[in-house]
Amino acid sequence: SRIEYERYLQLLYLCNSDKVVHRSDLLKASHAEILSHPRGNPIVAVGAFALMPSHPHLLLKEVIPGGISKFIGRVNNAYTKYFNLKNERVGNLLVHPFRAKHVPNDIYFKHLVRYILLNPAELFEKGWKKGHVKDVARLEKQLLAYTYSSIPDYWGRPRLEGTILDQGSIELLK
């Protein structure tokens, strides 16, 4: 639901800090207030993201040694606690640990950004990966309206969720 996606986006922002910021300290804050809440220096550079119904896609670069593991651990722990409390359950949410791939060069980086940004197309056009798109203009409009991805930011559309991203990553694709 929208609330779960927004919570995850908020955690992507808040957990990316060398200072500990607890989402629970901001219970009455709006989505906008949380995405502009002061935080410390980032521990990772978030290059791109796309939240899918069963998993997120994230492009991350370490800013501090061990930053990716620390960041993912914080986000997953905070989201699991939230989800379990809300749904009166216990245990892990994720069946598999996060998978990481090294990005060896700019060519692969650009490919990966495009892959992540276009991943939500699966929600609108099941056959898009095989080149089966009924209405390209409609799909483009749907992707740009999908607020749980960083595609609007790469298209230069200012929005609050843009604070999650490392602006230098966007510049690499221009």
Side-chain angles (χ1 to χ4, degrees), residues 26-161:
L26 303 167
L27 286 179
K28 303 268 190 229
S30 69
H31 184 63
E33 290 168 334
I34 291 168
L35 292 179
S36 59
H37 184 76
R39 60 180 181 168
N41 296 315
I43 58 174
V44 296
V46 179
F49 64 87
L51 306 186
M52 301 299 288
S54 63
H55 62 283
H57 288 270
L58 304 170
L59 179 61
L60 306 172
K61 178 182 177 186
E62 286 191 336
V63 173
I64 65 165
I68 290 175
S69 293
K70 183 181 275 190
F71 173 72
I72 293 294
R74 285 179 181 173
V75 171
N76 288 346
N77 287 336
Y79 189 78
T80 298
K81 285 179 185 175
Y82 155 77
F83 191 86
N84 284 347
L85 187 63
K86 181 180 179 200
N87 294 290
E88 298 178 350
R89 66 179 295 279
V90 294
N92 294 335
L93 284 181
L94 304 174
V95 177
H96 304 287
F98 82 93
R99 291 184 299 221
K101 271 190 173 176
H102 177 70
V103 179
N105 55 50
D106 283 353
I107 293 169
Y108 187 63
F109 169 80
K110 290 177 182 180
H111 166 76
L112 202 52
V113 170
R114 289 183 191 106
Y115 172 81
I116 290 170
L117 297 181
L118 294 175
N119 211 269
E122 188 72 20
L123 302 171
F124 311 111
E125 289 278 352
K126 296 291 180 201
W128 80 275
K129 287 182 182 177
K130 295 178 183 167
H132 305 291
V133 176
K134 294 175 190 128
D135 185 339
V136 173
R138 185 169 146 244
L139 178 59
E140 181 180 308
K141 188 175 181 179
Q142 289 169 315
L143 287 170
L144 288 171
Y146 190 70
T147 58
Y148 314 118
S149 159
S150 51
I151 198 167
D153 307 292
Y154 275 86
W155 278 61
R157 300 205 171 160
R159 65 192 189 121
L160 290 169
E161 292 79 5

